[in-house]
């Protein structure tokens, strides 16, 4: 038995043959199990709203008349049929860039027009039938290179039309003369149909000045400003030879098809639908002018003159004159179009194609049922079921590739370290890019199940978009996925070490970001166990596909370490640049920073240190040097920015002792806006770390033209070159020399340091992850 998805409350029963019974939605819900096959005809209309729940309930073959379902999906949310349903579907179908687009859109309909929101329907369908190959192209474009694997092209059925009417009589009935050349455009008037452009081309052509030539828009004109402008243009320029017929009944519509000598069917913003009006014209032998939008290119030399998608008015004018001026061309194109409909769109051929699709759907359904029965009968453990599920998923065609970004530390608590700054900024930039060939998904480690989970709750809050009310499910990671270990979480990663090794064996790409090897090089500067945890983490790094480091110095350290600790590992190692722009800093902050006068700063030179309070950062050495300079009468100010880290007790105690009696400020838990202000007050940044992976505050300060004093270590030389003052052991002497040069206006400037934005930073990171991608994004 076969059920065709209809709602009896919305259908005129006389349109349904008596041989086909009609069942109400309520009856269908009670009896859907009695049917061998179910077909749903989905269009981008509120009349199809009820079918979303039915498809989820029953499955079935979906005939997708419009690849874009965003109109009906947004309608369901706005009319409270599915609260937050459009928001959820934007995420499911298109990820976080679509949520950001909705958040920032001036006109919400811009987002409706841009994103199809049909993936859930496609995923639930056993097979998807489309009426043009363009629908399959859209599936690949939006949902991945293999997304059209369940799609089948079946031409839109057309009953062959035999016209026995007298054309002259029909012309007279419609108010035309027998020798008039009638050019029609069929369908509702609107900007997507380019009706105004057609009228403009007509007026500029020879046809516009010929009393025998008539242009008729056969369609309803209720398109607001656009429709009003078209009507006004016709009144002023049409010379009573351009008409808007308005809405017509089926018989009148057929009459216009019968009298039309040619038709013009233009489109823009094709959303995967098939033009029934084009097929009606071809069925009636009416030659066409179309533009190459959507699937129209296939009509070239098969019933139509095909213009470029974004044509010039002059090109349309030329095409009108060419086709109108040649009865032979019109007869040829009309005959080719009719032949195409007769051979490719006949009821018999379309019925046979549907039969094949239904048989394939049944076969797939039987295979799935068999696999499920095997699992049930085998008595598998939870772990074995999970393994089977992953294997089954990887055996199936995959959707768009995913870049799964591990943010395990950030998702739990923002530690406020330099590493967290990198993670935040890289994540924010990547989530804002709508990549064509892969999708960004933040994930985190769940120690309880020893797997990764989606970080949906965190990410929607991070992006400040409306919640999508989706759970942080365990991620079913496939062969086409890439895992980017962006956050530094050695302890947490030990819980998924075996999972990562399994994923690596199955073909999933594992990429690690390495920030430094300092715990191994200087274990005495860290709490007990940190060095060992770092070594265990580096075992995971070594077992991956590639590692990308935050500086060349770290890349060299990693290669040296692996050559010794893992001599048989030949891991590709690269590095990328870090950005300097701060998170969420508004222009008002920059303005207020700029208001600080040079005189105010020079009166009391201000130094700043930025970084976690820990022994490695050299805070005690800096405090001793400043205490000596203060005691000698130097009027200088010191700002310490950072939260307490490990082994910080002695440093914190000294800060608290000095602050009350000296021009010393210690700022904790500050926002990026506050940090921007502090950089604006500073004359010089001091980077006194004994070792670093990069030294992000150096770049941040340099991008604001703050001068630099840095410890003379290789990575700081790599970052700053000749654009900083360096010290080794005698920081007091270096500060005194710097103060003299600063007062003389000869202190070394940081302007020459190469600095990049976080967008540019991600541009250098992406090729280290996907060397063969071109990183195209949607516009």
């Amino acid at each position: 038995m076969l059920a065709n998805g209809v709602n009896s409350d919305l259908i005129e029963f006389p349109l349904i043959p008596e041989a086909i019974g009609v069942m109400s939605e309520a009856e269908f819900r009670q009896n859907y199990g009695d049917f061998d096959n179910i077909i749903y005809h989905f269009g981008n209309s509120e009349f199809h709203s009820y079918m979303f729940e039915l498809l989820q309930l029953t499955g079935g073959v979906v005939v997708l008349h419009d690849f874009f379902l965003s109109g009906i999906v947004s309608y369901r949310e706005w009319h409270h049929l599915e609260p937050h349903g459009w928001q959820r579907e934007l995420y499911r179908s298109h990820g976080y860039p679509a949520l950001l687009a909705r958040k920032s859109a001036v006109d919400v309909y811009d987002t409706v027009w841009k994103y199809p929101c049909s993936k859930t329907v496609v995923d639930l369908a056993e097979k998807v039938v489309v009426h043009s190959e363009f629908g399959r192209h859209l599936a690949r474009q939006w949902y991945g290179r293999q997304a059209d694997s369940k799609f089948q092209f079946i031409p839109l059925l057309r009953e062959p039309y035999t016209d026995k009417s007298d054309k002259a009589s029909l012309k007279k009935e419609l108010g035309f003369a027998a020798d008039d050349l009638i050019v029609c455009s069929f369908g509702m008037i609107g900007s997507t149909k380019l009706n105004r452009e057609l009228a403009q081309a007509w007026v500029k052509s020879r046809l516009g000045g010929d009393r025998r030539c008539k242009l008729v828009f056969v369609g309803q004109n209720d398109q607001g400003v656009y429709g009003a402008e078209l009507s006004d243009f016709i009144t002023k320029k049409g010379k009573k030879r351009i008409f808007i017929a308005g809405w017509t009944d089926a018989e009148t519509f057929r009459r216009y098809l019968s009298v039309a000598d040619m038709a013009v069917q233009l489109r823009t913003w094709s959303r995967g639908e098939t033009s029934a009006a084009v097929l009606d014209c071809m069925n009636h032998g009416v030659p066409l002018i179309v533009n190459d939008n959507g699937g129209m290119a296939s009509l070239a030399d098969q019933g139509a003159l095909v213009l470029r998608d974004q044509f010039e008015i002059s090109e349309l004018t030329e095409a009108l004159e060419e086709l109108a001026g040649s009865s032979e061309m019109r007869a040829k194109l009309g005959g080719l179009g009719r032949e195409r409909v007769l051979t490719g769109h006949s009821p018999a051929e379309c019925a046979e194609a549907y039969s094949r699709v239904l048989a394939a759907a049944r076969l797939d359904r039987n295979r799935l049922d068999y696999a499920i029965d095997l699992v049930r009968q085998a008595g598998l453990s939870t772990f074995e079921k999970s393994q089977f599920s992953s294997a089954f998923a990887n055996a199936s065609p995959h959707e768009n590739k995913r870049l799964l970004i591990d943010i395990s530390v950030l998702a739990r608590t923002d530690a406020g370290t330099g590493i967290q700054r990198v993670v935040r900024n890289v994540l924010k930039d990547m989530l804002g890019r709508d990549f064509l060939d892969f999708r960004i998904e933040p994930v985190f480690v769940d120690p309880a199940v020893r797997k990764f989970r989606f970080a949906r709750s965190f990410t929607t809050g991070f992006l400040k978009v409306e919640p999508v009310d989706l759970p942080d499910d365990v991620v079913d990671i496939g062969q086409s996925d890439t895992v980017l270990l962006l956050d530094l979480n050695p302890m947490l990663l030990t819980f998924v070490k075996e999972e990562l090794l399994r994923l690596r064996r199955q073909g999933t790409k594992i990429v690690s970001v390495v920030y430094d090897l300092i715990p191994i090089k200087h274990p005495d500067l860290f709490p007990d166990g940190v060095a060992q945890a770092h070594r265990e983490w580096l075992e995971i790094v070594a077992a991956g596909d590639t590692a990308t480091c935050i500086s060349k110095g770290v890349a060299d350290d990693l290669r040296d370490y692996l050559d010794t600790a893992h001599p048989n590992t030949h891991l590709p190692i690269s590095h990328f640049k870090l950005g300097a722009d701060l998170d969420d800093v508004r222009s008002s902050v920059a303005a207020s920073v700029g208001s600080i006068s040079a005189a105010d700063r020079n009166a009391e030179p201000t130094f700043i240190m930025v970084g976690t309070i820990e022994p490695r950062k050299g805070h005690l050495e800096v405090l001793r040097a400043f205490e000596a300079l203060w005691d000698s009468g130097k009027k200088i100010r010191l700002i310490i920015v950072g939260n307490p880290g490990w082994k910080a007790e002695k440093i914190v105690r000294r800060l608290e002792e000095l602050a009350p009696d000296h021009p010393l400020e210690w700022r904790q838990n500050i926002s990026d806006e506050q940090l921007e202000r502090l950089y604006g007050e500073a004359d010089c940044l001091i980077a006194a770390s004994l070792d670093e992976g990069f030294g992000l505050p150096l770049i941040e300060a340099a991008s604001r033209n703050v001068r630099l004093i840095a410890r003379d270590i290789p990575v700081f030389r790599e970052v700053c070159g000749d654009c900083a003052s360096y010290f080794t052991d005698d920081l007091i002497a270096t500060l005194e020399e710097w103060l003299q040069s600063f007062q003389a206006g000869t202190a070394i400037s940081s302007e020459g340091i190469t600095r990049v934005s976080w967008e540019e930073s991600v541009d250098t990171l992406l090729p280290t992850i996907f060397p063969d991608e071109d990183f195209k994004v949607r516009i």
Side-chain angles (χ1 to χ4, degrees):
M1 296 179 68
L2 174 68
N4 198 36
V6 299
N7 188 330
S8 61
D9 297 330
L10 303 176
I11 287 182
E12 299 177 33
F13 289 103
L15 298 178
I16 302 175
E18 293 182 4
I20 299 178
V22 175
M23 179 181 289
S24 70
E25 179 188 339
E27 291 175 305
F28 177 74
R29 286 180 178 272
Q30 295 173 355
N31 299 281
Y32 65 85
D34 297 338
F35 297 98
D36 300 316
N37 295 288
I38 300 171
I39 300 178
Y40 294 91
H41 284 267
F42 265 91
N44 197 26
S45 162
E46 62 266 27
F47 294 114
H48 300 259
S49 178
Y50 71 99
M51 292 196 296
F52 285 85
E53 286 81 8
L54 290 181
L55 180 62
Q56 192 165 13
L57 177 69
T58 68
V61 172
V62 167
V63 182
L64 207 55
H65 292 270
D66 300 273
F67 184 81
F68 277 63
L69 297 179
S70 47
I72 175 57
V73 172
S74 57
Y75 170 91
R76 285 166 55 80
E77 176 180 291
W78 293 337
H79 289 78
H80 310 291
L81 301 175
E82 186 181 357
H84 304 293
W86 181 36
Q87 185 83 344
R88 281 195 295 272
E89 191 57 43
L90 281 168
Y91 166 75
R92 286 170 176 158
S93 289
H94 310 294
Y96 294 104
L99 296 180
L100 286 169
R102 174 177 174 172
K103 171 188 172 184
S104 61
V106 176
D107 184 344
V108 70
Y109 283 102
D110 291 343
T111 309
V112 175
W113 275 99
K114 181 175 182 179
Y115 292 102
C117 291
S118 54
K119 190 172 185 300
T120 295
V121 168
V122 170
D123 286 347
L124 290 172
E126 295 169 344
K127 295 289 183 183
V128 179
V129 174
V130 289
H131 295 315
S132 73
E133 288 292 347
F134 185 62
R136 303 185 68 168
H137 165 77
L138 287 173
R140 293 189 295 270
Q141 174 186 332
W142 285 100
Y143 303 140
R145 294 170 183 172
Q146 302 297 321
D148 67 339
S149 59
K150 64 167 65 173
F151 278 61
Q152 295 293 324
F153 164 59
I154 299 178
L156 185 61
L157 182 149
R158 274 297 176 268
E159 186 80 30
Y161 176 72
T162 303
D163 189 359
K164 298 180 181 180
S165 304
D166 178 63
K167 191 169 184 177
S169 299
L170 289 177
K171 280 188 174 183
K172 185 176 181 180
E173 290 177 16
L174 293 170
F176 301 112
D179 63 343
D180 280 348
L181 184 135
I182 311 300
V183 180
C184 292
S185 179
F186 296 94
M188 287 185 63
I189 288 171
S191 59
T192 61
K193 306 292 182 67
L194 301 176
N195 308 100
R196 188 170 57 198
E197 285 77 1
L198 172 55
Q200 291 169 345
W202 177 274
V203 168
K204 290 182 178 182
S205 73
R206 291 193 299 270
L207 284 67
D210 189 333
R211 64 171 182 78
R212 295 171 302 170
C213 298
K214 306 294 191 302
L215 173 62
V216 186
F217 292 100
V218 186
Q220 189 170 343
N221 183 15
D222 59 357
Q223 295 302 301
V225 174
Y226 184 89
E229 289 177 349
L230 176 63
S231 296
D232 184 59
F233 180 86
I234 291 172
T235 300
K236 293 178 179 179
K237 304 284 188 177
K239 299 180 180 180
K240 298 184 179 180
R241 296 169 194 153
I242 305 177
F243 307 94
I244 297 178
W247 179 88
T248 61
D249 58 27
E251 178 58 27
T252 305
F253 190 85
R254 184 197 64 77
R255 289 181 180 183
Y256 275 107
L257 283 166
S258 297
V259 303
D261 294 290
M262 51 190 275
V264 184
Q265 299 299 133
L266 304 173
R267 288 304 303 265
T268 186
W269 285 96
S270 174
R271 291 146 68 81
E273 68 278 11
T274 298
S275 175
V278 165
L279 291 178
D280 287 335
C281 290
M282 295 168 67
N283 196 14
H284 283 71
V286 180
L288 287 157
I289 296 174
V290 300
N291 62 318
D292 182 9
N293 186 267
M296 295 299 189
S298 65
L299 297 181
D301 300 322
Q302 294 193 49
L305 286 178
V306 181
L307 304 175
R308 295 182 303 124
D309 183 11
Q310 298 181 9
F311 58 86
E312 300 291 336
I313 296 294
S314 60
E315 296 174 69
L316 178 54
T317 297
E318 183 179 339
L320 285 167
E321 292 178 344
E322 180 182 8
L323 191 55
S326 174
S327 58
E328 293 83 2
M329 181 183 290
R330 294 200 301 274
K332 179 183 176 182
L333 290 178
L336 289 171
R338 180 156 171 75
E339 180 63 22
R340 175 167 173 165
V341 170
L342 291 174
T343 57
H345 297 261
S346 69
E349 289 194 10
C350 292
E352 179 61 30
Y354 273 103
S355 178
R356 290 193 297 269
V357 169
L358 292 172
R362 283 196 303 272
L363 182 60
D364 289 349
R365 196 184 315 136
N366 292 338
R367 287 172 176 166
L368 179 60
D369 290 343
Y370 179 69
I372 292 172
D373 287 342
L374 280 180
V375 172
R376 287 172 176 165
Q377 295 170 17
L380 301 180
S381 66
T382 301
F383 176 76
E384 289 169 330
K385 288 179 181 178
S386 173
Q387 296 289 92
F388 176 85
S389 173
S390 296
F392 192 84
N394 285 321
S396 305
H398 254 239
E399 59 179 23
N400 226 349
K401 296 186 297 185
R402 297 178 299 185
L403 178 59
L404 306 172
I405 303 180
D406 173 39
I407 56 164
S408 294
V409 176
L410 184 66
R412 285 171 169 79
T413 178
D414 189 340
T417 66
I419 291 175
Q420 293 296 293
R421 183 176 297 284
V422 175
V423 175
R424 281 199 312 272
N425 283 286
V426 169
L427 180 67
K428 182 178 180 180
D429 183 85
M430 284 196 177
L431 289 172
R433 303 192 191 197
D434 197 351
F435 293 102
L436 286 175
D437 294 326
F438 58 93
R439 172 171 171 153
I440 303 295
E441 283 289 351
V443 299
F444 65 92
V445 173
D446 183 350
V449 297
R450 295 181 177 270
K451 287 182 178 291
F452 289 97
R453 288 187 179 275
F454 289 108
R456 292 163 176 157
S457 299
F458 166 83
T459 307
T460 52
F462 176 73
L463 296 176
K464 299 182 175 65
V465 298
E466 293 179 33
V468 291
D469 193 27
L470 290 172
D472 291 343
D473 294 324
V474 171
V475 187
D476 189 2
I477 302 176
Q479 294 173 350
S480 63
D481 293 326
T482 296
V483 178
L484 175 65
L485 302 177
L486 178 63
D487 224 338
L488 180 61
N489 60 340
M491 298 294 188
L492 285 170
L493 281 180
T494 58
F495 289 98
V496 291
K497 180 178 180 180
E498 293 305 317
E499 171 73 354
L500 287 169
L501 294 176
R502 181 190 70 79
L503 292 173
R504 180 76 174 83
R505 289 193 297 271
Q506 80 172 16
T508 302
K509 188 174 185 179
I510 310 296
V511 180
S512 300
V513 175
V514 178
Y515 293 91
D516 60 63
L517 278 73
I518 300 173
I520 294 174
K521 295 166 65 180
H522 305 282
D524 55 307
L525 298 177
F526 293 84
D528 294 341
V530 172
Q532 181 57 34
H534 219 70
R535 289 189 181 91
E536 293 178 6
W537 166 63
L538 288 172
E539 290 181 10
I540 296 173
V541 173
D545 290 86
T546 185
T548 182
C549 305
I550 63 170
S551 66
K552 182 180 180 299
V554 174
D556 292 339
D557 286 346
L558 179 60
R559 172 55 60 207
D560 291 343
Y561 175 81
L562 293 179
D563 286 346
T564 302
H566 301 276
N568 297 322
T569 296
H570 303 287
L571 182 73
I573 299 173
S574 57
H575 65 281
F576 69 103
K577 299 176 181 178
L578 297 187
D581 42 326
L582 294 173
D583 308 342
D584 303 323
V585 175
R586 301 176 179 86
S587 58
S588 60
V589 178
S592 67
V593 168
S595 67
I596 300 173
S597 69
D600 289 340
R601 288 197 295 268
N602 292 341
E604 187 176 294
T606 298
F607 297 82
I608 188 171
M609 288 185 73
V610 178
T612 304
I613 307 298
E614 52 163 308
R616 173 173 62 93
K617 300 289 186 176
H619 289 92
L620 286 177
E621 185 176 355
V622 171
L623 289 175
R624 284 194 294 269
F626 269 78
E627 188 175 8
L629 293 174
W630 286 326
D631 289 345
S632 69
K634 291 288 190 300
K635 296 186 179 299
I636 53 178
R637 178 181 172 216
L638 177 61
I639 303 172
I640 304 288
V641 178
N643 297 335
W646 42 88
K647 296 190 174 184
E649 295 81 5
K650 188 175 181 181
I651 305 169
V652 169
R653 185 166 58 251
R654 192 60 184 144
L655 280 168
E656 292 173 342
E657 290 170 350
L658 289 172
D661 302 316
H662 298 84
L664 169 65
E665 296 178 36
W666 177 26
R667 305 293 294 274
Q668 305 179 59
N669 301 312
I670 68 170
S671 67
D672 286 328
E673 288 186 356
Q674 291 170 316
L675 180 56
E676 181 76 31
R677 293 179 188 276
L678 293 175
Y679 275 134
E681 296 177 25
D683 297 294
C684 181
L685 176 127
I686 299 177
S689 299
L690 300 174
D691 201 352
E692 281 288 357
F694 182 77
L696 189 56
L698 290 166
I699 297 296
E700 292 177 348
S703 69
R704 291 145 183 86
N705 295 322
V706 177
R707 293 172 176 81
L708 308 171
I709 295 176
R711 190 182 297 276
D712 195 355
I713 57 177
V715 71
F716 287 168
R717 287 281 183 179
E718 177 186 339
V719 171
C720 301
D722 296 330
C723 298
S725 300
Y726 294 95
F727 74 95
T728 50
D729 298 324
D730 195 347
L731 177 57
I732 296 175
T734 300
L735 286 168
E736 289 177 331
E737 292 174 7
W738 188 91
L739 286 168
Q740 290 176 6
S741 63
F742 179 66
Q743 295 294 342
T746 60
I748 295 173
S749 171
S750 62
E751 281 189 47
I753 291 179
T754 301
R755 59 203 84 165
V756 299
S757 66
W758 282 108
E759 179 181 359
E760 293 168 320
S761 172
V762 170
D763 287 341
T764 65
L765 170 61
L766 285 170
T768 71
I769 304 170
F770 301 117
D772 301 323
E773 294 283 353
D774 55 7
F775 313 112
K776 291 180 180 178
V777 296
R778 302 183 205 281
I779 298 175

